[in-house]
């Protein structure tokens, strides 16, 4: 179904769940994963578009009640998202090796981030619509982090 009730709750709260809204997806789109920001008012969603011959996967955002659903990525190959601690940015992967065969996996996995308000991001280096995570070692040599980055810290 393209519709789903959204409920919220706290692990230590008296009520296990409280209805908070409804998510209405476009036709042929299905929710796979959801991640709430630390502030508790926005969701990042992995939504799959069931097109032939293989489904597309992108990151979308909505308010916690399901309203304001908008597409963040247009990569067709984004499978995970992480909110920055302050909720101002959203990191996502572009994983060309996500689908593997019995012979192994081919492709790369890159990690990008954008302001939380960014929409329809392609995450292509030539587009300059997303930023990569770069770190420097003691010698000053820079390295771009890939999908092994799992979360941000304060």
């Amino acid at each position: 179904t393209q519709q789903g009730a959204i409920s919220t709750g706290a692990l230590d709260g008296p009520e296990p769940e409280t209805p908070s809204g409804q998510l209405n997806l476009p036709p042929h789109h299905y929710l796979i994963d959801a991640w709430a920001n630390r502030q508790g008012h926005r969701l990042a969603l992995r939504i799959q578009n069931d097109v032939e011959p293989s489904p597309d996967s992108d990151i979308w955002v909505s308010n916690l009640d399901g309203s304001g659903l908008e597409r963040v990525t247009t990569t067709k190959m984004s499978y995970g998202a992480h909110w920055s601690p302050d909720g101002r940015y959203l990191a996502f992967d572009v994983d060309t090796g996500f689908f593997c065969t019995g012979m192994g996996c081919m492709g790369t996995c890159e990690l990008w981030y954008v302001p939380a308000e960014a929409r329809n991001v392609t995450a292509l280096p030539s587009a300059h619509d997303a930023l990569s995570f770069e770190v420097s070692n003691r010698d000053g040599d820079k390295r771009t982090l890939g999908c092994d980055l799992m979360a941000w810290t304060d």
Side-chain angles (χ1 to χ4, degrees):
T1 180
Q2 281 83 33
Q3 297 180 346
I6 298 174
S7 295
T8 58
L11 295 175
D12 60 353
E15 298 288 328
E17 293 181 1
T18 303
S20 63
Q22 179 82 20
L23 188 62
N24 297 305
L25 301 176
H28 308 290
H29 288 72
Y30 300 91
L31 177 65
I32 305 297
D33 289 307
W35 305 270
N37 67 359
R38 187 181 287 182
Q39 294 73 25
H41 58 79
R42 301 280 291 158
L43 293 172
L45 309 158
R46 176 181 164 210
I47 295 178
Q48 183 172 298
N49 181 6
D50 281 342
V51 294
E52 295 296 331
S54 64
D56 297 343
S57 181
D58 275 301
I59 305 301
W60 297 56
V61 292
S62 77
N63 295 316
L64 190 61
D65 66 0
S67 66
L69 180 66
E70 295 180 297
R71 190 175 185 162
V72 176
T73 67
T74 58
T75 67
K76 300 183 180 184
M77 296 176 284
S78 292
Y79 301 94
H82 298 284
W83 288 99
S84 65
D86 61 8
R88 293 178 46 217
Y89 296 93
L90 189 61
F92 60 91
D93 65 355
V94 177
D95 191 350
T96 62
F98 189 77
F99 291 106
C100 300
T101 67
M103 301 295 286
C105 300
M106 298 187 67
T108 63
C109 188
E110 300 170 342
L111 193 65
W112 300 88
Y113 71 99
V114 294
E117 299 81 26
R119 301 294 179 263
N120 298 312
V121 174
T122 61
L124 296 170
S126 61
H128 304 289
D129 60 0
L131 301 167
S132 59
F133 289 92
E134 287 188 350
V135 294
S136 298
N137 65 14
R138 294 175 203 220
D139 298 327
D141 297 327
K142 291 189 177 194
R143 178 176 172 235
T144 300
L145 296 179
C147 291
D148 48 349
L149 181 66
M150 301 303 290
W152 279 324
T153 58
D154 291 332

